[in-house]
Amino acid sequence: MSENLKSWVANRIKEDEIVKYMDDDSDFIKDDEIWKHIKDDKQQDPVRIREIFEKALAVETLSPEETAMLINLKNPELVEEMKETALKIKLKVYDNRIVTFAPLYLGDYCVNNCAYCGFRTSNTIMKRKILSEDEIRRETEVLAGKIGHKRLIVVYGEHPLTGVDYIENSLRTIYGVKVPVRKGFGHIRRANVNAAPLQIDELKRLQEVGIGTFQVFQETYHHETHRKVHPEGTLKGDYKWRLYCMHRALEAGVDDVGIGALYGLYDWRFETMALLYHAIELEKKFGIGPHTVSFPRLEPAANTPFTQSSEYMVNDEDFERIILVLRLAIPYTGMILTARESREIRDKVLPLGITQTDASTRIGIGAYSDRYTEQELERQQFMIGDPRSLDELIRDLTKMGYITSFCTAGYRCGRTGKCIMDLLREGTEGKYCKLNAITTFKEWLLDFASEETAKIGDALIKKELDEVKTKMPKAYNKLNEYITRIENGERDLYF
Amino acid sequence: MVKETFIFRECERYLKKLHNRYSTEGIWIVKKYGRRYSFVCGIRPSGFESPEIVKINDGYLLFFQKGEDLHDNLDNVILKLKELLDENRKG
Ligand code: SF4
């Protein structure tokens, strides 16, 4: 590592921006306590379990004890009921809409050396690249102008070349792109950010640009495993700097935060409990829980044997349980399922409470506007499992009865942070979700859909309008007015 | 931060009064950051009409749904909110 790089690394972590949030000498992830809950395999009294289902249905965060009981639940009849409850919660909080987005990787330089990642600094076979302003613009033009995405998760490695100046500028570039399409114009309305932990002042700068959600995944919450897979002396090796990043974000005013764990590094039961601990801690300190939770599974990466040999790989059955438990334990949160997973798995677990997913996904640097269409492992962090285009995914979702939403209304009329938390808990946001799903879906059908998708999409919209007429008569006239205006070429009308 | 929370609580109390007096379906303050409008305080929206948006100052905006009569007194309302938010800045 060059001297410049070393000194950059040495100045990243601000101890005072960790300790100020700590209640005592240790952080809020209590490994022993978590294991005690998991191992304390209580008698699974159906009455108690059903009480837990009811609590989750009332959109109340579960306790660690209750969550551990769901993790350990074996009674097949109750497991079926848990699935039904998960779907009911999803419908109550978010209705039948699925939000879609695309990941946009801007660079793969990284100073860290995580054992499981193809981007790690010691992986010399990677073809490294950072997108220039022009290249970012080109990528965004494809995403917003050809595919029709409105929402991105922009991904940055941890490196001075992709530090906060770069992040800020790239977001301005992305937001600045406007492309004429069939009837209206395409642009990105919400750019979420997945980046390394930042300092409070840096987070304030991102807030000023108007980021959507700020995501940082702890990867593994288990202290010892964290030490093992993130070498000492690297930035990522500092467990607490990463753990308290969302505290800093919320203090900086970034009030939509996303947490996550990379499943496959350690026992899935522990990671699931730890995600709940993280949510409870944020609720306690800021009154705002995670806006989203992600639960990616470890995938093969170029020249990265760890990804093939971990003893904690999660099978499909356990993966289902993770989603179910998270849906019930943190009932208000958005749950993101990505195209890492195969089409079969995505179709199977979607009804368990997923709220967001990606499509037309490419994770190679510059891959959306590039000539190449095949996945190249030397250019991306891992392999994609579901290559469906947005049009195909939407068609499939429509057949399953889901309405695809491109809604970004919440964060453009102040329904953020504590406000959206409360609206989600009381079931009001779900109503806005439904209405905005219909208007944004209509826009997308007019501007981007293939003939086949437009046909079944319009049939779904008709059905949805009928539902609104009976269930939300007060909103019906306004919605109808919006649909007519959208058909006449207006865009970006929202509730 | 403590001071800020206090001021926002003051704003919130004032917005609550307005909400009751003018029967709004929600009245809240947001701060604008680029494309993002972050919730600051107030009574959460509950209706489906597009909210009216009025500038207060320094990127702060007032949103309200319904409450038609509020218009007659809007200048005073904005003045009062400005004062409260200014207090916040001085703090
Ligand atoms: S996981 Fe993230 S931090 Fe670790 S090497 Fe990969 S890109 Fe860098």
Side-chain angles (χ1 to χ4, degrees):
Chain A
M1 200 186 272
S2 72
E3 284 310 310
N4 276 353
L5 215 50
K6 270 190 205 154
S7 98
W8 183 82
V9 169
N11 288 306
R12 288 298 305 151
I13 295 174
K14 292 187 159 183
E15 278 305 317
D16 59 322
E17 292 189 7
I18 300 173
V19 290
K20 66 191 285 194
Y21 305 114
M22 290 175 65
D23 299 327
D24 49 45
D25 287 348
S26 62
D27 59 69
F28 57 87
I29 299 294
K30 312 287 182 200
D31 294 21
D32 292 346
E33 190 184 294
I34 289 179
W35 271 120
K36 197 164 158 283
H37 280 303
I38 297 170
K39 293 212 167 123
D40 184 12
D41 197 357
K42 293 213 170 57
Q43 288 293 319
Q44 298 188 335
D45 171 15
V47 176
R48 176 74 185 110
I49 296 290
R50 289 192 178 108
E51 275 171 15
I52 299 174
F53 292 167
E54 283 307 312
K55 184 176 174 186
L57 252 175
V59 200
E60 275 182 59
T61 309
L62 300 185
S63 70
E65 189 203 356
E66 291 163 337
T67 303
M69 286 170 82
L70 299 186
I71 285 175
N72 288 321
L73 190 61
K74 289 179 195 76
N75 179 332
E77 200 183 312
L78 289 172
V79 172
E80 275 314 303
E81 278 182 42
M82 178 153 69
K83 286 185 188 170
E84 287 161 22
T85 309
L87 183 58
K88 278 189 200 157
I89 294 169
K90 155 70 173 51
L91 293 176
K92 178 175 179 184
V93 180
Y94 292 97
D95 216 292
N96 64 336
R97 64 87 165 133
I98 301 280
V99 163
T100 50
F101 65 90
L104 173 59
Y105 281 66
L106 295 192
D108 53 7
Y109 279 85
C110 186
V111 294
N112 293 309
N113 219 357
C114 312
Y116 48 85
C117 177
F119 287 173
R120 70 189 184 282
T121 189
S122 63
N123 194 4
T124 47
I125 72 156
M126 286 309 285
K127 297 174 184 160
R128 311 261 174 190
K129 184 172 167 60
I130 286 172
L131 297 188
S132 67
E133 204 178 310
D134 274 349
E135 288 167 325
I136 295 171
R137 199 169 295 120
R138 273 207 293 280
E139 290 281 278
T140 312
E141 280 166 2
V142 175
L143 285 159
K146 290 211 172 100
I147 303 171
H149 279 294
K150 304 273 183 269
R151 204 186 255 253
L152 299 180
I153 290 187
V154 193
V155 187
Y156 306 84
E158 186 159 29
H159 196 277
L161 291 173
T162 47
V164 70
D165 292 337
Y166 180 85
I167 300 179
E168 204 183 328
N169 291 334
S170 58
L171 291 173
R172 286 191 205 286
T173 306
I174 289 166
Y175 279 141
V177 170
K178 211 168 170 184
V179 200
V181 294
R182 268 184 225 158
K183 276 209 138 188
F185 53 84
H187 69 152
I188 296 302
R189 296 176 185 164
R190 177 170 178 139
N192 299 329
V193 166
N194 180 308
L198 298 175
Q199 301 163 357
I200 294 173
D201 285 345
E202 294 172 332
L203 286 156
K204 283 185 182 160
R205 286 173 61 187
L206 296 196
Q207 170 76 330
E208 290 295 327
V209 195
I211 66 165
T213 307
F214 182 65
Q215 275 189 345
V216 173
F217 301 161
Q218 188 67 15
E219 317 289 17
T220 173
Y221 284 90
H222 186 247
H223 289 81
E224 197 192 322
T225 307
H226 197 275
R227 260 191 304 278
K228 274 192 205 150
V229 296
H230 304 116
E232 208 187 328
T234 60
L235 287 172
K236 203 150 171 186
D238 194 313
Y239 182 99
K240 292 193 186 98
W241 177 241
R242 203 168 182 86
L243 188 67
Y244 286 97
C245 179
M246 294 315 172
H247 290 62
R248 294 193 292 279
L250 287 163
E251 179 170 341
V254 178
D255 54 1
D256 289 335
V257 296
I259 61 173
L262 178 57
Y263 279 89
L265 299 179
Y266 188 58
D267 193 299
W268 66 268
R269 296 169 300 170
F270 183 95
E271 306 291 15
T272 307
M273 290 289 287
L275 284 167
L276 171 77
Y277 270 63
H278 203 162
I280 290 175
E281 162 78 8
L282 296 176
E283 285 178 28
K284 194 172 89 189
K285 294 261 163 72
F286 299 92
I288 298 173
H291 190 71
T292 55
V293 174
S294 298
F295 33 85
R297 283 194 282 188
L298 195 59
E299 284 294 325
N303 191 28
T304 308
F306 182 93
T307 55
Q308 318 279 348
S309 62
S310 170
E311 59 178 300
Y312 294 110
M313 297 306 266
V314 175
N315 64 35
D316 293 348
E317 199 182 325
D318 292 340
F319 188 58
E320 254 187 54
R321 180 61 65 96
I322 290 165
I323 296 171
L324 276 177
V325 172
L326 287 172
R327 179 68 290 152
L328 270 77
I330 319 173
Y332 56 80
T333 202
M335 291 181 59
I336 302 181
L337 177 73
T338 69
R340 277 175 185 253
E341 299 296 338
S342 67
R343 174 186 192 145
E344 292 68 35
I345 290 291
R346 291 223 285 180
D347 288 353
K348 194 164 172 218
V349 301
L350 216 74
L352 305 181
I354 301 301
T355 62
Q356 295 192 23
T357 197
D358 54 336
S360 289
T361 301
R362 293 194 184 177
I363 56 172
I365 314 300
Y368 290 106
S369 51
D370 208 340
R371 286 184 307 278
Y372 95 114
T373 48
E374 296 301 314
Q375 296 197 60
E376 282 179 46
L377 215 42
E378 294 77 35
R379 292 177 53 163
Q380 55 195 58
Q381 200 177 22
F382 53 86
M383 288 298 278
I384 287 292
D386 184 354
R388 265 178 295 178
S389 71
L390 184 57
D391 191 79
E392 286 168 312
L393 181 89
I394 287 179
R395 203 181 312 144
D396 291 344
L397 289 177
T398 310
K399 284 179 192 158
M400 289 165 79
Y402 292 104
I403 181 157
T404 306
S405 175
F406 295 87
C407 168
T408 55
Y411 101 128
R412 291 187 300 144
C413 50
R415 296 202 304 269
T416 65
K418 176 92 175 73
C419 175
I420 197 156
M421 285 290 119
D422 293 340
L423 289 170
L424 288 167
R425 281 187 196 279
E426 69 196 28
T428 308
E429 186 62 20
K431 297 194 179 101
Y432 294 118
C433 283
K434 164 77 104 195
L435 302 170
N436 287 318
I438 297 173
T439 53
T440 55
F441 188 44
K442 183 71 193 173
E443 281 187 4
W444 191 87
L445 292 175
L446 288 167
D447 288 342
F448 299 98
S450 65
E451 215 175 296
E452 191 188 344
T453 306
K455 205 167 147 203
I456 56 170
D458 278 329
L460 180 65
I461 287 190
K462 194 174 171 306
K463 195 168 145 256
E464 295 287 333
L465 282 169
D466 290 344
E467 194 187 319
V468 171
K469 195 173 186 178
T470 34
K471 287 194 184 159
M472 286 183 265
K474 273 189 183 167
Y476 180 71
N477 287 345
K478 189 86 190 166
L479 177 63
N480 243 338
E481 176 204 318
Y482 276 3
I483 293 288
T484 311
R485 284 166 62 185
I486 289 167
E487 281 167 345
N488 290 334
E490 269 190 81
R491 292 291 175 268
D492 210 8
L493 304 170
Y494 51 85
F495 289 88
Chain B
M1 223 183 159
V2 177
K3 170 98 177 164
E4 202 165 271
T5 312
F6 173 73
I7 298 298
F8 290 150
R9 224 176 281 149
E10 287 291 295
C11 279
E12 182 135 344
R13 218 169 294 166
Y14 180 57
L15 293 173
K16 207 173 213 167
K17 253 198 237 164
L18 296 173
H19 172 64
N20 292 334
R21 189 181 312 157
Y22 297 107
S23 312
T24 72
E25 287 188 340
I27 177 162
W28 66 106
I29 293 176
V30 307
K31 176 106 200 259
K32 186 175 185 324
Y33 301 97
R35 251 174 224 205
R36 179 190 180 84
Y37 293 76
S38 283
F39 183 78
V40 175
C41 62
I43 313 300
R44 297 186 300 277
S46 61
F48 299 108
E49 288 299 315
S50 312
E52 289 215 34
I53 307 169
V54 189
K55 206 170 147 209
I56 308 172
N57 61 358
D58 288 342
Y60 286 101
L61 303 157
L62 176 70
F63 279 57
F64 63 96
Q65 280 178 327
K66 290 268 169 105
E68 282 82 10
D69 297 344
L70 181 56
H71 285 108
D72 301 340
N73 194 20
L74 207 50
D75 290 347
N76 291 333
V77 166
I78 296 299
L79 209 66
K80 171 79 181 166
L81 287 172
K82 247 184 212 163
E83 263 171 37
L84 285 169
L85 292 170
D86 269 352
E87 269 298 302
N88 182 34
R89 260 193 324 188
K90 277 183 236 146

